[in-house]
Amino acid sequence: PAVEAGVEPGWHLYVVRVAEAARRGAFFERLRELRLGVQLHYPPVHLHPIFRARGHGPGDFPIAEDFAARALSLPLCPALADGEVDQVIERVHRAVREVL
């Protein structure tokens, strides 16, 4: 990703989004089959129990819900070697070709 001059990002997630929410599950599963440690982060805050108890629910924040339904996180940590980064990229490209 692009980084502005003078900015030191604290990378902890690398989030990608699929074009169609209905295909994220298959993409996620294919990446897992390819032994890539993908995760789902973060569900919309308004759908957590504490906010639901305050009257919020599905449909209240459709943009947040859409983002969450299409996003998944790729492995990212400072200890990844260049070869491991290349493996992540190759496996993502493969899953895109096969699933999306």
Side-chain angles (χ1 to χ4, degrees):
V3 177
E4 293 183 35
V7 173
E8 285 279 338
W11 303 113
H12 76 289
L13 295 176
Y14 193 100
V15 178
V16 297
R17 288 184 293 165
V18 299
E20 301 171 43
R23 313 236 20 210
R24 184 188 67 176
F27 186 57
F28 178 91
E29 291 304 321
R30 183 63 186 131
L31 290 169
R32 284 291 179 104
E33 290 168 1
L34 293 170
R35 300 177 49 83
L36 197 59
V38 294
Q39 295 292 329
L40 302 178
H41 294 96
Y42 294 94
V45 173
H46 68 285
L47 299 180
H48 284 262
I50 189 72
F51 293 103
R52 292 191 90 166
R54 288 174 168 71
H56 291 290
D60 286 353
F61 299 96
I63 295 171
E65 292 172 35
D66 177 66
F67 182 91
R70 296 187 300 123
L72 59 87
S73 300
L74 300 176
L76 176 71
C77 76
L80 282 177
D82 289 347
E84 293 170 314
V85 172
D86 291 340
Q87 288 178 3
V88 171
I89 294 167
E90 184 278 322
R91 292 172 189 179
V92 169
H93 283 171
R94 181 174 172 185
V96 165
R97 287 190 307 270
E98 294 175 358
V99 177
L100 302 178

